[in-house]
Amino acid sequence: MREDRVLERIASVLAAEDEDQLHERMGLAVEALEGEHGLFRIRVMRPPLDPVHHAIRCGPPVRGAGRDSWDDLDGPYAFAALDAGEPEPGWRRHGLPAQLPPITPPSSAPWVAAHHGPGADSVLSIARTQVPRAGSAQERRVADALRLLAGVLHVSVMRLAVPRLFARLAPRLTERETTCLRWVAQGKSDGVVATILGVSDSAVHFHMTNVLRKLGVSTRTQAVAKAMALGLIP
């Protein structure tokens, strides 16, 4: 493992300009770490909403199972990073197993590649056919580089992928629905909002009914809280 090449490729991940570049450069960084497969997973908390989960995978198909399958990563493969415990069930939303395959690195030294930031946590796993000898200088170098790559991927995914995920998950309100919701958030009744907008009370009620349905809530107070959490209204 050439350290200069590893650092160069990790730095290139941080400089990625879009998600395609991010995925490609992650693969090159994993390759420089002599890894055959890489799996990066991130969970972003959104109180009072459900967390958002996202995953990036790189590497060739695993024993014919397909690029997105990690179920067959056993036998000669050893993970250079393992989850400390079982992830939230939400990881399954992206076709990932509830936990990584039961593979134990033949090393007693910790292989940890997790990163925790404000409101988000992530883990990076790399499968290698060749595992450095326990306690060796090479093992320490790989572990250090793995932790560095985990942090770089965390920052890059938060910058490039998470905003798109949030936008995709947010319900699409019409301009009139958003306007009505903004006035309701200020404590205005349907009648007052109708007067402000120059429409009928029933029209405002119709728009607010649609807002509640799209947001999946049952009260206007809940609608305001969720819309603010999603950034739909200030």
Side-chain angles (χ1 to χ4, degrees):
M1 184 183 80
R2 287 181 46 190
E3 292 186 52
D4 57 341
R5 190 171 104 175
V6 170
L7 292 176
E8 179 183 345
R9 291 192 173 178
I10 291 177
S12 74
V13 172
L14 196 58
E17 297 180 355
D18 55 43
E19 290 184 71
D20 288 339
Q21 278 192 359
L22 178 62
H23 183 274
E24 177 186 2
R25 294 179 183 187
M26 170 187 167
L28 292 174
V30 168
E31 180 186 77
L33 280 166
E34 299 176 359
E36 285 76 28
H37 307 273
L39 172 61
F40 175 81
R41 297 182 291 178
I42 189 168
R43 177 177 59 184
V44 184
M45 309 307 294
R46 301 184 304 166
L49 308 175
D50 292 335
V52 170
H53 301 82
H54 188 52
I56 302 177
R57 305 181 267 307
C58 66
V62 181
R63 290 164 53 178
R67 171 175 170 170
D68 292 340
S69 175
W70 283 72
D71 296 332
D72 291 338
L73 278 179
D74 55 13
Y77 289 97
F79 274 91
L82 295 174
D83 290 337
E86 183 172 324
E88 295 291 329
W91 293 124
R92 289 185 179 276
R93 297 176 191 173
H94 292 274
L96 302 175
Q99 62 184 32
L100 292 175
I103 303 170
T104 303
S107 166
S108 59
W111 291 90
V112 179
H115 188 87
H116 303 280
D121 54 71
S122 60
V123 62
L124 170 65
S125 302
I126 292 180
R128 294 167 51 99
T129 52
Q130 300 296 324
V131 179
R133 179 173 54 84
S136 66
Q138 183 187 11
E139 182 191 57
R140 290 192 295 271
R141 288 195 297 270
V142 172
D144 288 343
L146 197 62
R147 283 190 288 268
L148 178 59
L149 179 57
V152 165
L153 281 168
H154 184 102
V155 172
S156 298
V157 170
M158 288 292 292
R159 175 173 62 89
L160 296 174
V162 169
R164 177 188 60 80
L165 293 173
F166 281 2
R168 189 186 70 189
L169 292 172
R172 296 182 179 275
L173 301 182
T174 66
E175 182 178 352
R176 183 49 60 93
E177 289 167 353
T178 302
T179 300
C180 290
L181 184 58
R182 284 175 177 166
W183 284 114
V184 169
Q186 296 181 36
K188 308 298 183 183
S189 66
D190 283 2
V192 173
V193 175
T195 299
I196 293 172
L197 300 179
V199 299
S200 65
D201 291 10
S202 60
V204 174
H205 179 75
F206 172 78
H207 292 310
M208 287 306 302
T209 298
N210 284 338
V211 168
L212 266 61
R213 175 180 55 80
K214 289 181 178 180
L215 292 177
V217 297
S218 56
T219 69
R220 298 186 177 204
T221 300
Q222 293 172 345
V224 169
K226 188 168 184 177
M228 292 179 68
L230 290 169
L232 299 176
I233 59 174

